[in-house]
Amino acid sequence: MKGFIILGLSVSSVLSAQTDSTQIKEIQEVSFTRRLPVSKEIINVQKDLGSKNLGQDLPILLKNQMSVVATSDAGNGVGYTGFRIRGSAGTSINVMLNGVPYNDSESQGTFFVNIPDMASSASQIVIQRGVGTSSNGTASFGASVNILTKNPDEKPYVLGQFSAGSFNTMKTSFEAGSGKFLNNLLSVSARYSTINSDGYIDRAFSKLNSYNINALFEKGNTKIRFLTFGGKEKTYQAWNGIDAATYETNPKFNYSGAIYDADGNIVKYYDNETDNYWQKHYHLLWEQKFSEKWNLETTFHLTNGDGYYENYKQDAKFSKYDLPNIIENGNTITRTDFIRKKWLDNSFYGVVSNLFGNFSNLNLNFGVAANQYFGRHFGNVTGVKYTNISEHEYYRNNALKNEISGFAKAIYKINQFEIFGDLQLRNIDYKTYVIDANAEEGMDLKEKWTFFNPKFGVNYQIENGKIFLSYAHAHREPNRDDLFANPNTKPEKLHDFELGLEKTFGDVAFTANAYYMNYVNQLVLSGELNMVGEFIKINSGKSYRLGIELGALAKISEKLNISGNLTLSQNKNVDFKIEDNSSVNNLGNTSISFSPNVIANGIIQYKPIKNLQLNINNQYIGKQYLDNTETKELQLKDYFLTDFNAQYEFKIAKQEISLQFLLNNIFNKKYVNNGFVYYGPYYYAQAGRNFMIGVNFKIK
């Protein structure tokens, strides 16, 4: 391992660079990113995450990465999941698929449930903590994550993946590749997966389907790649959470779909209290090498999505849904039961282009992105008793968001120094407009923002490592929910300072990174939810995140590796104020919500024989708050988790087979890492001890 420089800490990513016989050919963007003076991890998905990829969603697979806290609404990592990095929620983490923005343009959130089993189609995942570089998109306040999908194999193959486990969780996946044909110019691959689970939480089932079709044309200096992928999800709603008292007695309880009698007792549950969404992606990637020095990568993209969530609305007023009262036997009926559906039909399309210049001491990257989003929001109700009321539309509003940005990046090498500069200019035009009005739905808004985001840094090369220092200034606009909650919500500003060390000492690899993230008008979680279960955020004035991230990997022997990472941080609102109609309450310096001061992971990897790998993954998450008031009863307890996974690989003729086993939460720890405030704390309970087993085969 001597002389090997790690880029961020991940035991598996370090090891894969040493042991992977099927090295992934990096695209220009990743090669450029490796040299940046920022804290980052570059993950080989097959080697680092493959042994755990048995049906749980991508945020769960990444939970042991530096500064990451993963969450699951259903409690078992299937269905709606998310993650936070350095305490920043998903709306502050920019996610890209092959360099194309994945964050929803309006909510700025990332919904991995819409692309189930994406890990099975990914080759690399690049995680950059702190402010992302200009090519990392828009919402890179906490971190940026770029998921790079696999190219088709050069030789034909058939791949099958089957797994099953706790809570009736089951995954089935088939994949096939043509290999190169048409005079070695074209190759095609396709995957289809189904994931089903009952969930840990009562009735929190998931029915997920996904596909990925990938075609690559290569001739000379030209590469053209077409991808279409997407998914269809049906999940029983688990976003209501449970109050603290219920959590102690029945943590699996789910209020969703409850139907009450006249005395307020639950008599039954509506069996279709579900979320339903279909999402389809189309990417056309063109890579043109003009010379040894210049290379152009351009992606045209289109995403279509539509779906709804459904609720049983008991004893609701006709007037709430713009319906007239009913006269029945001379009596005026003002209330009845409804089935409500709230729809979203949206499209996102545009182009992202990067020009790379590679010279002896200078590397250049120029880029432009132009994207448009169009969203249609509408809702309808159907009467339960009065069946003549069918799919009655009671509101409709549309949204349009245009964005164009351009940037220039450069890395200049002078002796042992590498100097980095990055300038971005970004313009956003966003408007929403009501077509059919309802008092609780939609708003007429028109906003424009222009942001200039500069970034600078330097690497200093040392023996078997480097020291880096960087500064970034970034802006981010409020999302739809922020503006609807308060049309005067201000954009966020961030000054991000990073100081890091990457160094190897014989068989020990070490990283250290100190950061100071100084916010102005940071949007922090209030702890409350809006009508659709999304967290409400408010401007906090001044706030900061100050921390240090440490990582190490020790190769004890050819069979044993031990690694760990530790994040120690202080996350504070400065002179935090709560305002209402009558007063202003100054709470002073308070902890930022969902920002634990300690995040630690320890990983033991043991290979007793050649084809058998055993892993023990330990994670500690410190105390954190549900809101920004630093109220003791709104504090989530710290917790310590231990997971175990094993993988055994062997061959029968030309068939490659692997057996996998995953045991989560070995010691059956009762814990919570997510929630909200509603007249007190509400929790999303997480599963106790649970397991998955799987078998994969590949025929070449």
Side-chain angles (χ1 to χ4, degrees), residues 72-130:
S72 169
D73 283 10
N76 68 322
V78 181
Y80 272 88
T81 62
F83 52 34
R84 303 185 180 98
I85 300 178
R86 291 185 178 176
S88 296
T91 55
S92 297
I93 300 171
N94 187 75
V95 176
M96 297 179 297
L97 301 175
N98 298 315
V100 174
Y102 181 65
N103 297 61
D104 179 79
S105 294
E106 287 195 276
S107 72
Q108 298 177 2
T110 49
F111 304 99
F112 293 99
V113 70
N114 297 328
I115 47 172
D117 203 27
M118 175 54 66
S120 295
S121 294
S123 62
Q124 292 177 299
I125 299 175
V126 182
I127 301 176
Q128 182 187 326
R129 298 181 298 278

Side-chain angles (χ1 to χ4, degrees), residues 245-413:
T246 304
Y247 172 72
E248 295 299 328
T249 59
N250 186 9
K252 299 178 64 174
F253 185 77
N254 186 4
Y255 288 101
S256 293
I259 299 175
Y260 300 84
D261 64 16
D263 298 322
N265 301 309
I266 298 175
V267 293
K268 61 179 180 179
Y269 295 91
Y270 180 56
D271 61 5
N272 203 36
E273 193 91 352
T274 56
D275 185 81
N276 307 265
Y277 199 75
W278 305 262
Q279 193 171 78
K280 302 170 285 291
H281 298 257
Y282 307 91
H283 291 180
L284 181 62
L285 299 86
W286 170 42
E287 180 180 343
Q288 186 64 49
K289 185 177 181 180
F290 298 111
S291 67
E292 291 300 319
K293 296 181 178 180
W294 292 101
N295 188 61
L296 178 68
E297 295 178 1
T298 301
T299 301
F300 302 90
H301 65 88
L302 167 65
T303 301
N304 287 323
D306 64 280
Y308 64 93
Y309 69 92
E310 182 171 322
N311 301 103
Y312 192 97
K313 306 302 291 186
Q314 189 174 9
D315 197 31
K317 292 182 178 180
F318 286 103
S319 59
K320 182 179 177 68
Y321 302 112
D322 300 323
L323 287 166
N325 296 330
I326 290 178
I327 306 299
E328 193 173 75
N329 299 324
N331 298 316
T332 301
I333 309 299
T334 62
R335 295 174 176 268
T336 189
D337 294 355
F338 292 100
I339 305 300
R340 184 187 69 178
K341 294 180 180 179
K342 301 185 76 171
W343 285 82
L344 173 62
D345 181 1
N346 56 10
S347 300
F348 177 66
Y349 41 85
V351 60
V352 179
S353 187
N354 282 271
L355 178 65
F356 296 92
N358 301 302
F359 302 88
S360 57
N361 295 318
L362 177 66
N363 292 88
L364 301 171
N365 179 198
F366 305 98
V368 63
N371 303 307
Q372 184 175 81
Y373 169 91
F374 182 57
R376 295 161 285 272
H377 305 259
F378 58 98
N380 59 56
V381 290
T382 296
V384 176
K385 178 181 179 181
Y386 301 101
T387 56
N388 59 307
I389 304 173
S390 179
E391 303 288 329
H392 166 72
E393 186 171 300
Y394 68 99
Y395 77 89
R396 180 176 287 269
N397 59 81
N398 291 346
L400 183 67
K401 188 172 185 178
N402 295 307
E403 177 186 344
I404 186 168
S405 64
F407 68 86
K409 295 190 290 186
I411 298 177
Y412 184 59
K413 183 175 176 60

